Structure formats: C-alpha cells, structure tokens
Amino acid sequence: MSERPYPVHWEADVVLRDGGTAHIRPIGPDDAGRLVDFYGLVSDESKYFRFFAPYPRLSDRDVHRFTHHDYDDRVGLAATVGDDFIATVRYDRTDEQGRPATGPAGTRAEVAFLVQDAHQGRGVASALLEHIAAVARERGILHFTAEVLPENRRMVKVFTDAGYTQQRSFADGVVHLDLDLEPTDASVAVMRAREHRAEARSVQRLLRPASVAVVGVGRGPGGVGRALLRNIAAGGFTGRLVAVNPAFAEGAEVDGVPAHASVREAVAAGGGVDLAVVAVRAEQVPAAVADCGAAGVRGLVVVSAGYSESGPEGRARQRDLVRQARVHGMRVIGPNAFGVVNTAADTSLNASLSPELPRRGRLGLFTQSGSIGIALLSGLHRRGVGPSTFVSAGNRADVSGNDLLQFWQDDPETDVVLMYLESFGNPRKFTRLARRTAAAKPLVVVKGALHSGAVPPGHAVPVTRVPDSTVSALFRQAGVIRVGTVTELLDTGVYLALQPLPAGRRVAVLGNCESLGLLTYDAALTAGLRPLAPVDLTTGATPEDIAAALRAALADPGNDAVVVTVIPRVGTDPAAAPPGSGPAARPDPLAGLTGDQSPPVTADLSAAAARPPAEEDDPYLADALRRAAEGAAKPVVVVYLALEAMAGRLHAEDAPGARIPAYRAPDRAVRCLAVAAAYAAWRESAAGPGVVPELDGVDEAAAAEDVRRMLPPGTPAGEGRTLTEDEAATLLGRYGIRVVGSLPAPDPEAAVAAAERLGYPVALKTTAPHLRHRADLGGVRLDLADEEDLRRAYAELTARLGAPGELRPVVQAMAPRGVDTVVRAGVDPAAGAVLSFGLAGPPSELLGDLAHRLVPATDRDAAELVRSIRAAPLLFGWRGAEPVDTAALEELLLRVSMLTDDLPEVVAVDLDPVVVAPRGLSVLGARVRLSRPPARTDLGPRALSSF
C-alpha cells in the first residue's frame, strides 16, 4: 500500500455549535502519544459504543494501525484544541461486499467516530463527518457504511441528520447505515444551517460577554488600554471588568477596577473571563494571547497595530496571531481594530475607543475602518439614533462581515444592518448570506476601495476582476441596498430604523414652501419615484395646518409615501404662536427657484435671516408632525431648511408620536425613499426567489467525459485551452444548446460547395479574431441568395480585408431575422461564475449595457436578466416591432448557467451573436474556454477562512 504525501489541504479550522473553534487535520505517525492520551480520557461507555466490546486501552498494534494511513484507502482525521485530540474519525475503503479494497476497486468505505465525552454535544462529530466525506469524494469513494449500536443515539442522529441520501436497516442488534456521499440540497442546507448557528454563536460570545479583561492597562492616566478600560466602565458594563498588566501587584486597582498581573490571576481571583481586549504593542501580543488561552478566554478584540497594514513582517505576525488564537479555541476581532459596542440593557458594552456609549438603537453596524467607524457613530449620535451592536474589525484577520451577517440575521435586537466594506474575503459566501439576511431585514452597504489598486494594505484578500458595475448587479440580486457614500449610509439607515417600507413608488409632496416642493418633486422623478403634484400650504401655514395636510395625505390611498417640506414661517414668532393658529399669507422666500436654480442648503433666506435668533426653530411643528404620523402604515420623511433643531426633535426617542427622519436637502430624502421602495419590491418577490429548473436534453455525464478528454486530469490549476468550434459545439450540445453549423471556405470553390451543402440563402463571414463579429468592418455578408452573390461577396471580402488564409472565412446557413444578443458566462476566482446578457454590437459594449447574475441562476434571475438592460424594449416590440421569443432566451440563459455550474472547468462561455427571433433563437457563434480551476472553498465542508 503506497502512501500519498501528507494532504495539508485537508487541514481546516471550524466553528463548533457552542461558538468555540477546533482544528481538523489528518492523523499521522507522530500522533501516537496524542492518540493514547485522548483514548485515556474517553469513558468506558463511549469506548463500548465505538468497538462494541470492552476496550479499556489501545495496544501498540492498535496505535500503529490508527496513526499510519496511506491517505487514500485508509484515512483518519482528528479534531484538536491546542495540541490535544478531542475527537477522531476514520474510514477504510471496502468493496461492495464490505471487504477491504484498494483504489477504483472500492467505491465504498466503512466509517467510525470517537468523541471525547467532555466535548460531546458541541457538534464535533458533525463537522468531522462533513470533512471526512469531502476527503472520501476526493479519493473516489461514493458511499459510507457504518454500524452503530441502537443505544448510541447521538451517533445515529449525526448520520441521519446529515442530509445525505441514506438507507437504514437493523440486524443482529446493530443499526446498519449506508450513506450516498453525493451532496444533495438537503445535505448542503444542513451544512449551511450548522455553519449559521455556529458562527452566529461565536459572534454572540464576543458581543455579549459576562466578563471582560482589558490587557495592557497602563498605571498612568494615558494610553489606549486605560482609555478602553475607562470607556467600558463609564458605559455601564453590567458584567465583571478587570484590568491586566504584569506590573500590577496583588490587590491593585485602576480607577476602581480590580487589576491583576495576568488574565490567569484574574480568573483565579474571581472567575472566568469571556472577552479580552488586547491593547499592547504587537511584539507583546503573543504572550498576552498565550495567557488568555491558558485562562480559557473565549474571544479577543485586538486593537494593537503593526500587522498586515505594516508590510510582509506584519502579515506574518498577523497569521501567527490568528493561528495562536484558534489553537486555544478563540476567535479574533482585529487586529488594528477600533473595538466593539453593544447597547443592550443587559450588556451595555463600550469596548471601543469611542469616548461615550452610543444611544441604544436597532442598527447593526460593521466597518473595516476605524476612522469610518468614528464617523458613523458620531453621525448616528447627531441624528438621535444608535446602534444595537457595532464592530470595527480592523484588518479582519478572523471575524469578518460574513460572521456578523450570520449573527445579525436572527438577532432580535437588530432591525437594520449597515456595513462599510473595503474588501471581500469570500464574495460567494457574502452574496449567499446577504441574500438570506436581506430577506429578513434591510442590509445597506457602502463599498470602499472600488479599484483593484486601492485595496487597503491591511486586507490580505484576493483581488477580484469583477467590474464595479457587476458588483452592483450582484448586490441587487442579493437584495443588498447599495449606497455610494457614508452620508448616504447614515441617511438610509436612519430612515429604515424609523419608518416602514413604502408599498410602492407614488409619493405625495406637501409643505409650506412652493419652491422647495418643486425641487422635491424634481428630485423624486430623478430618483425613479412617481411624485404627485406638490401641495403648497404657503409660508404662513401653522404647525396644525401642516399636520392636518399630512394626516390627509396618509389617509389617501392614492400615494405610498409622504414628503413634508418645511421652512420657517415668515414674519411669525413661533414662541408666541399657539398650536392651531391660522395661516397668515406671506410671500414665499424661495418663489421662482426650480431645478438647477435651487439654493444651497446654507442659503441666506432673507425672511429667515431677518428674524431674531430666538425664533430660529419651531417646536410646535416637530411635535405636530410626530403626532400626525403616529401609527401610520406609510413612511413619512421631512425636508427642512433653516430649522436647525428640527431633525433632533423629529428623531428624539423620548418625545410622543412617531419618530420621523429629516434631511436638509430634497435629493437626500427622496433617495432614501427610492432605495427603500426598490428593496421593498425585491423583498416582496424574494418570497419566491425562483428555482433552478430541470431542463430536458441535458447529459451532464457525457459533458463531464468530454471535459476530461479535452482537458486531461493532470493539467495544472490555472492552465487550460480554448476549444475548437467543433469541440465547443459538441460540449454545448450536451446541454441542449445548438450552435448553427458553419463550413470552412478557404477559397471560392469551397465556399460554393459549402453553400450547396447548407442550402441558400447563406452568410459569409470571417473568423479571424480581430474581425470576429465586426459587421461594421464588412467581415460579415448576409442573405447571399445564390452562387453569383456568394462569389461576388467572397471577392469583395478578400479584396478589402486580406487573403483567405488570414481571414479564415466560413459559410453559414442564414438564421431567421431577429434581435442580435450576447450571452456570456465567466468565472472570477473571487466572485465565482457570473452570467451576463446584453445586445450584440459596439453600442452596448461602449455604454456597458450588460446585466449580470450569479450562477446558478434561477428562472426568476433569468427573467430579470433579460429585462434589466437599458435596451430591453427592443426585445418587447419597441416602436411597433414584433416581440421576440424571450422565453427561448431565458431558457438559453438557464442552460448556460447550468453548464458552468455543473462543470467548474468551463471558465468562459461566449455566445455571440444569439439571434432571437419572434419564434425561437439561433446561436451563430460560440467560444468556450476550459481551465483547471483552483479548489472551490465555498463548495467544501464548512471551515473558517485561511490566514
């Protein structure tokens, strides 16, 4: 039995059911001592369940057998915490009769587990099953068999809950299980559900600790550690807080907080520590982490700098930090983090460098930038709104935005998620999690570092080649509300936190300023809303007049949202005017200003500027609007000028009535309504996101064999080849995609023979790469009715563009007339397979009029793809033309999606042109490229990202 090299790619860090971490790796000969120690900690009952007989100790022969594997027919994996085994799994390849077998002779394997009793119930066996099944599939094993005693209910449940197709029988007092290892929808759903629960739990342990230690608290009043300790204490943290510094003597205190020389001393003095906030120099962090690990700390927030953002040496230091933390089962926020905040009353944690605990709110906030985090917290505070939880992840070495999405999806304290992202560690997973989160609550994202050269130096992530327009399209597919700036992120977040979603795009506009109403109307049109004619109440309208108009608009079924525009009442002292006083007609200080004549928000309005400072704000108006909007099912937003305290009064949490978002400019207010309306429409349709349908005429097995023949298995990753036209047509044909045939025409005689074989009329076109699909250069001649037309076109073509050998002309049968389109699929190493659609020709390429969706596309995705390009009306009977067969087009998109999803070696498909006729379509050109892809981490067993 020849041994393979140690398979390092089988190693992985995983999050367990309780939020802790473990390392999974192959067992090797050097593990004999660890295996013996592990076995000594297993109870007699667990040993009996494993071996069906008393088995008090392992013999030397057993130890050798369980630690020496060929990593093919016999494989053992261990789950470790630190240097210790906590569980093992092993398979031995067998034939159909259960006898030992080798290589292709055996596609089955017998599998068995053993989990240390202290770690049972943590999901260790389920994680090991996912990983050993992936190993088995890699080695050509298709089925696992297992024999389990009926009393071993936990292990029976591990197998039966895995989601694999299985057969179960009972004989001779033993449960016999047979698992088909081909992933199913059920097994993938089980894996992702476990991943969701485990990662959410791991984040919960970081954000809701019962005890916190600040490591690196100086004895003097300054320093980052002292600031963090002060912020946690001042924020009213409800749990146990300790300060740590090796210089502290026994019994010391810092600002009234108990101080200890180490975390282990703090644990010995008063109980465990859940979270450690590390604020020491980078070279001191390893000792601090070792101390935390030995003390049983569950998680770390590392604010220390000097890691990936500082260059190669820092990157190595960052990898060591994560590796060291995971050895002890800890997760890490940071390094170079700004900190974390939890405003829940039962936690009240401000473990950040923000000097004050933000207001309590319903917004989950994630940022990769500390400075942006400061701006976001400050911006929310000014608007009278706060977060539920806040995480500034710094270099995002371990805990990422994906982990926070797992947590926030089910967090009852969070209604809206706001994220500032500069990089994606796992875009495929982000898109999957974002779609699931957005189906439950709004997810708003601002994406920084739009250009590949602008990836922050602290973010060691793959650089994606997907254009920003594609990222936007994929965000829309996932239901993500994408905004362009931090200000828009705050504006949108405040709106979503305070108001319901609109049921449609009809917007009522009312207020006491005609010109501001007109500007709002124009902004709403530009944003894609359907504004109604503005209602002008004049500048003399009282608060009750405006409130009455708002109540009437909210009761009107003819609109879906209301924008109230207000300026100070002209010539009236608000302090002396009781609520309900009648309007006094006054000239509009903005009369005549519309469109690009609109004043800036700091305009010096003559009437407003003439009033004394005491009259600057109208307290009655904010109160009246809040009372009018209370309990309304429609959203209300306010646009205000020269009423500086208006936003604070409308946002205030302790005032009666509805809380209403207020904005200084019309475009900001209507933009929030527009993105909310788009999200509401997506969410309405997201209840049925579509399905990946079963299509006739698909032969996946034959296509896979074609790929193996065209791209030999030994081809190195990243290398490949472009298929010939015949090869491409054959492969596409396996998925029911027929390419209209063509015949080479190296000379006029061959062209005539080809035309006679295909039947007139025909097309003559070049296939030279620089002329492909360039009808504008005369490289394509259509509707050649007979031999004379064909010879003339051939002569003109070669006289104008070059010799036949250079042009490589072909003759092709004419397709029915229709609209020329392009269908493409390409694989990006970070974002995955992307399906694209647009009209053929330079105008669409020049204007970037292409739409994109992630693969696999559902039937709904395909329908939206066809309709989302700007030129889509050409497909649906624009200017009286006959509509084309969009159903056939959608089916073609689904077939291309299925092809690229089933066959990862297919890295590019280009169908150009695809002529879509009133009935049916014709694929006239096809190009397919194969390449040996790198391992797809998103398709394997769940694991933490590598570092």
Side-chain angles (χ1 to χ4, degrees), residues 548-789:
L550 173 56
R551 281 190 290 268
L554 290 172
D556 183 0
N559 64 69
D560 304 302
V562 182
V563 181
V564 180
T565 63
V566 293
I567 65 169
R569 283 192 294 156
V570 176
T572 304
D573 181 355
S581 57
R586 291 290 187 272
D588 184 350
L590 302 183
L593 292 178
T594 59
D596 58 6
Q597 297 175 300
S598 59
V601 294
T602 56
D604 181 15
L605 307 179
S606 58
R611 299 197 328 270
E615 300 177 353
E616 183 177 344
D617 300 311
D618 190 339
Y620 302 120
L621 178 56
D623 294 344
L625 292 176
R626 291 184 62 143
R627 288 194 301 270
E630 186 172 14
K634 296 178 185 177
V636 178
V637 297
V638 169
V639 178
Y640 67 95
L641 290 179
L643 293 167
E644 298 307 318
M646 176 64 69
R649 289 191 176 114
L650 290 172
H651 295 171
E653 190 173 7
D654 54 356
R659 300 174 71 189
I660 304 174
Y663 305 93
R664 294 176 177 270
D667 59 309
R668 291 171 59 183
V670 299
R671 186 188 301 117
C672 293
L673 284 175
V675 298
Y679 168 69
W682 177 88
R683 190 156 159 181
E684 184 71 22
S685 62
V691 297
V692 178
E694 295 289 336
L695 299 174
D696 295 333
V698 174
D699 190 342
E700 181 184 350
E705 183 59 37
D706 289 340
V707 169
R708 281 191 291 271
R709 186 182 69 256
M710 300 170 185
L711 189 71
T715 305
E719 295 186 11
R721 56 181 289 257
T722 300
L723 302 186
T724 66
E725 290 188 5
D726 288 343
E727 288 174 329
T730 298
L731 183 60
L732 292 168
R734 304 294 192 192
Y735 278 78
I737 303 170
R738 177 180 173 273
V739 181
V740 176
S742 62
L743 296 173
D747 54 56
E749 301 307 321
V752 170
E756 291 175 348
R757 180 177 172 183
L758 295 172
Y760 288 101
V762 296
L764 176 68
K765 59 184 185 181
T766 68
T767 59
H770 67 288
L771 295 173
R772 183 182 290 270
H773 311 309
R774 291 297 307 275
D776 56 314
L777 297 180
V780 179
R781 304 298 173 90
L782 304 176
D783 283 323
L784 304 176
D786 51 32
E787 179 179 343
E788 181 180 354
D789 285 349

Side-chain angles (χ1 to χ4, degrees), residues 344-639:
D346 61 352
T347 303
S348 193
L349 174 66
N350 181 20
S352 78
L353 295 173
S354 176
E356 59 183 351
L357 183 71
R359 290 183 174 91
R360 187 178 181 187
R362 309 287 299 178
L363 293 166
L365 192 58
F366 175 85
T367 173
Q368 294 174 201
S369 163
S371 57
I372 296 296
I374 294 172
L376 289 172
L377 289 176
S378 175
L380 288 177
H381 185 80
R382 289 195 307 272
R383 289 162 170 81
V385 179
S388 60
T389 42
F390 163 84
V391 174
S392 170
N395 291 2
R396 196 188 47 72
D398 179 19
V399 173
S400 68
N402 286 349
D403 295 293
L404 269 299
L405 287 178
Q406 299 276 36
F407 170 73
W408 279 322
Q409 181 191 337
D410 297 325
D411 179 29
E413 303 294 325
T414 301
D415 294 334
V416 182
V417 175
L418 307 183
M419 306 185 81
Y420 172 80
L421 302 177
E422 292 173 342
S423 59
F424 293 111
N426 189 337
R428 300 174 197 252
K429 183 175 179 180
F430 173 82
T431 303
R432 170 169 57 85
L433 298 183
R435 186 166 195 162
R436 193 175 65 191
T437 301
K441 56 190 68 173
L443 169 58
V444 191
V445 174
V446 64
K447 176 68 170 69
L450 300 181
H451 307 288
S452 60
V455 174
H459 297 245
V461 299
V463 177
T464 176
R465 296 192 302 268
V466 176
D468 187 61
S469 60
T470 306
V471 173
S472 292
L474 302 184
F475 275 4
R476 286 193 296 272
Q477 183 182 5
V480 174
I481 300 172
R482 185 179 187 182
V483 295
T485 66
V486 171
T487 298
E488 291 177 11
L489 185 70
L490 289 169
D491 284 350
T492 307
V494 169
Y495 166 83
L496 292 168
L498 302 184
Q499 290 290 305
L501 296 173
R505 293 182 172 271
R506 301 169 301 171
V507 178
V509 180
L510 62 92
N512 66 351
C513 175
E514 179 183 15
S515 298
L516 191 55
L518 290 173
L519 293 175
T520 303
Y521 179 89
D522 291 342
L525 281 176
T526 301
L529 298 172
R530 294 166 52 195
L532 308 178
V535 175
D536 176 31
L537 303 174
T538 77
T539 55
T542 67
E544 283 305 320
D545 293 329
I546 300 174
L550 173 56
R551 281 190 290 268
L554 290 172
D556 183 0
N559 64 69
D560 304 302
V562 182
V563 181
V564 180
T565 63
V566 293
I567 65 169
R569 283 192 294 156
V570 176
T572 304
D573 181 355
S581 57
R586 291 290 187 272
D588 184 350
L590 302 183
L593 292 178
T594 59
D596 58 6
Q597 297 175 300
S598 59
V601 294
T602 56
D604 181 15
L605 307 179
S606 58
R611 299 197 328 270
E615 300 177 353
E616 183 177 344
D617 300 311
D618 190 339
Y620 302 120
L621 178 56
D623 294 344
L625 292 176
R626 291 184 62 143
R627 288 194 301 270
E630 186 172 14
K634 296 178 185 177
V636 178
V637 297
V638 169
V639 178

